[in-house]
Amino acid sequence: MTAPQPLTYDAFVELASADSAVVGLVLKGSRAHNGMTTRHSDHDLYVVLADDATTDLTRFAGHRTPQLDLVIVSLTEFRAAGVPGFERYALARAQIVLDRLDGGIARILAEKASLGADEAFADSSGWLDAYANSLYRSLKNHRDGQARAARLDAAESVRFLLELLFALDHRPRPYNKYLEWELARHPLPGWDTDELLRAVDRISASGDVSLQRHLFALVEATAREAGHGEVLDAWGEDLDLMRPQ
């Protein structure tokens, strides 16, 4: 008896495209990022069904193999996916395989790719405070001779820094895997990509104090220009430790 062959991406797309209940197919992950695929890359596919639709494709819900992962959702669920949540960046850069809504799927993805003004401002304020907190802890630990703690806090500050910079540009932060890919194609306004990545690498690895302070000076200017002076001023005299000496 011949073992059944695993379901392939192409076969499923053909099957789903022939089903009128399917209003959208959206490919995310490395397959949606040109130049990022490897021999290990699978196909991560959202299958968007019309609300209240009936289809036997639901039998594939939760399907997961080394070649194909399926997420089957209603249109209403798809609108809410990743907002907020870890899926937001994945959907922001996803590729449309099928859109039966006259561009409706594309519009939903575009909304996920851009933070609204109020959302971006609130997120930026929170990430700025978190960045300042880790930076301050790193510099204080360095001052007090706690080298390992200083390096760990410096590495943690990088996460908050990146969240902040992307939020200031009204964008979800990319996963670490796609950071260089994203910045090469969509640079952060006002930031030199190569210099930023070098700083991130060096701070993560060594906790370089002078570089942390130099970077904070750039961040402080950017944040104040964006209206976040109140967050910074709340740190009072502690700002002196964070600024270049």
Side-chain angles (χ1 to χ4, degrees):
M1 181 176 178
T2 304
Q5 294 298 308
L7 182 65
T8 67
Y9 170 75
D10 290 336
F12 182 82
V13 167
E14 182 178 356
L15 182 65
S17 297
D19 191 325
S20 61
V22 177
V23 295
L25 295 173
V26 174
L27 182 67
K28 66 183 182 73
S30 58
R31 296 279 181 181
H33 289 71
N34 293 334
M36 291 297 293
T37 57
T38 72
R39 64 186 181 87
H40 302 292
S41 298
D42 61 358
H43 289 83
D44 294 298
L45 190 68
Y46 265 85
V47 183
V48 186
L49 305 177
D51 289 331
D52 301 321
T54 300
T55 172
D56 65 356
L57 289 180
T58 54
R59 73 185 188 276
F60 293 110
H63 178 89
R64 184 178 178 87
T65 69
Q67 293 77 38
L68 179 64
D69 288 352
L70 299 176
V71 179
I72 300 178
V73 294
S74 69
L75 180 59
T76 296
E77 291 171 330
F78 184 66
R79 290 184 189 279
V83 186
F86 69 94
E87 280 284 85
R88 186 161 190 172
Y89 175 76
L91 290 168
R93 294 296 179 216
Q95 291 184 3
I96 297 171
V97 179
L98 176 69
D99 186 346
R100 284 203 174 104
L101 300 179
D102 296 325
I105 297 295
R107 288 190 289 274
I108 291 172
L109 293 179
E111 290 173 0
K112 297 179 189 298
S114 179
L115 280 61
D118 291 343
E119 179 185 14
F121 190 86
D123 286 357
S124 298
S125 293
W127 293 125
L128 174 59
D129 197 48
Y131 166 61
N133 186 280
S134 286
L135 170 65
Y136 178 71
R137 289 177 180 275
S138 176
L139 299 177
K140 186 170 65 170
N141 282 325
H142 173 79
R143 179 197 64 193
D144 296 341
Q146 299 291 331
R148 180 177 293 109
R151 290 195 302 271
L152 290 173
D153 284 324
E156 287 186 6
S157 76
V158 168
R159 174 205 166 192
F160 301 128
L161 169 67
L162 293 173
E163 294 280 8
L164 166 63
L165 296 183
F166 279 96
L168 286 170
D169 196 35
H170 294 207
R171 292 154 61 185
R173 176 197 163 183
Y175 308 144
N176 293 331
K177 177 180 180 178
Y178 302 121
L179 177 61
E180 290 185 54
W181 185 97
E182 180 74 15
L183 291 176
R185 291 157 180 78
H186 309 282
L188 289 164
W191 291 86
D192 181 285
T193 293
D194 289 339
E195 289 184 8
L196 176 61
L197 290 176
R198 282 196 297 270
V200 164
D201 287 346
R202 189 168 173 182
I203 290 171
S204 297
S206 68
D208 186 302
V209 169
S210 62
L211 184 55
Q212 287 195 77
R213 285 175 169 147
H214 171 72
L215 193 57
F216 178 73
L218 300 177
V219 171
E220 180 174 11
T222 300
R224 287 189 183 280
E225 185 177 350
H228 297 290
E230 185 176 347
V231 174
L232 291 163
D233 291 339
W235 282 87
E237 294 181 357
D238 290 338
L239 288 173
D240 293 338
L241 185 63
M242 304 184 214
R243 291 168 173 155
Q245 303 297 294

